[in-house]
Amino acid sequence: MTVPFDDTPQDRRVRVMGEPVDSYPRVPPEAERGAVRRITVAGEEILRRRCREVTGFGTPELSWLVDDMFATNRVAEGAGLAANQVDVDLRLFVWDIVDEWGVRHVGHIANPVLEEVPAERRSLVEESEGCLSVPGPYRVVPRLDHAVVRGYDMNGEPLVIEGRGYFARCLQHETDHLRGHLYLDRLAQRDRKTALREMAASKDEVFARRAALAGKLGK
């Protein structure tokens, strides 16, 4: 289970799968092993489909997928990546993110379920948010400032991940992906159309930057 922390955590060790570790490499081992896959883009059907449950725990195929997702997330300079963003219809996402307090969080989770937060305890924060499948535009999106996700690791072991602030936003964003939702769906229609126009204008430049970084990293 993840180690809880308050709004100003003193323990700034890296959290790997929710647990603090004394040292961790700049590049996750999974990203070193993995291959880069194409990231799906808004408008593709798989991003609108509710993903299937992971059932093949402990398999080489699932391990390879996690590695590839980490590698893809790295070359895209992302905070998190869901399986349907690499054209795989499974309830799985990875993350590598530093929160507002300087704490780095790294990990993956399968079949995630967000805990319900009672209305009296909900606190929404409006912050800018982007998406690797919506290359280019960012928009202000309200999200809960605290999130707890329950699921499993790649070997089928139960997992509980807690996030606050930016990391909580990431957990909610990636869980949305697995339901077939994008952050665009949380925008007013006019804002959504404007964001899609911006994406069309900027996506080639974003794709070129990702390809260049992949080449630089030998991916």
Side-chain angles (χ1 to χ4, degrees), residues 85 157 165 172:
Q85 292 183 275
E157 295 297 321
Q172 294 168 82

Side-chain angles (χ1 to χ4, degrees), residues 14-208:
V14 177
R15 262 83 168 174
V16 178
M17 304 295 285
E19 297 290 346
V21 297
D22 291 328
S23 64
Y24 192 77
R26 183 177 63 86
V27 179
E30 297 92 338
E32 292 280 18
R33 295 191 298 263
V36 174
R37 301 195 187 192
R38 186 186 74 86
I39 295 178
T40 53
V41 178
E44 297 187 41
E45 188 272 337
I46 194 169
L47 292 174
R48 289 304 186 187
R49 187 192 314 160
R50 191 176 185 89
C51 294
R52 296 180 297 111
E53 296 285 300
V54 174
T55 57
F57 292 104
T59 63
E61 291 79 10
L62 187 59
S63 179
W64 294 332
L65 175 58
V66 170
D67 288 352
D68 289 356
M69 289 172 66
F70 268 101
T72 304
N73 186 59
R74 182 167 183 244
V75 301
E77 301 174 293
L81 186 72
N84 56 355
Q85 292 183 275
V86 292
D87 206 26
V88 177
D89 180 21
L90 285 177
R91 291 180 52 76
L92 172 73
F93 68 81
V94 304
W95 64 88
D96 186 352
I97 182 176
V98 178
D99 66 23
E100 295 93 318
W101 301 279
V103 178
R104 184 182 178 193
H105 304 266
V106 184
H108 71 272
I109 190 167
N111 302 338
V113 176
L114 277 169
E115 282 192 356
E116 290 291 331
V117 179
E120 65 274 13
R121 290 174 46 203
R122 291 179 183 173
S123 178
L124 288 175
V125 177
E126 295 191 356
E127 296 285 353
S128 182
E129 188 169 321
C131 178
L132 299 182
S133 290
V134 188
Y138 283 75
R139 289 295 184 274
V140 172
V141 179
R143 296 276 190 186
L144 294 173
D145 69 351
H146 175 254
V148 176
V149 180
R150 297 179 181 273
Y152 302 89
D153 69 13
M154 71 173 73
N155 296 311
E157 295 297 321
L159 189 62
V160 182
I161 301 295
E162 178 182 10
R164 295 185 184 275
Y166 188 42
F167 185 38
R169 178 172 295 273
C170 176
L171 295 174
Q172 294 168 82
H173 178 111
E174 301 306 332
T175 303
D176 269 0
H177 269 302
L178 304 181
R179 297 168 177 158
H181 298 156
L182 299 170
Y183 86 87
L184 297 174
D185 301 325
R186 296 179 177 270
L187 304 178
Q189 185 176 15
R190 178 179 296 180
D191 290 339
R192 184 163 58 248
K193 288 182 177 179
T194 302
L196 287 171
R197 284 197 297 268
E198 289 181 19
M199 183 190 80
S202 62
K203 65 181 182 180
D204 288 346
E205 179 182 345
V206 174
F207 294 160

Side-chain angles (χ1 to χ4, degrees), residues 5-13 15 101 103:
F5 50 93
D6 61 24
D7 288 343
T8 55
Q10 299 303 307
D11 184 354
R12 288 184 168 80
R13 287 179 293 174
R15 262 83 168 174
W101 301 279
V103 178

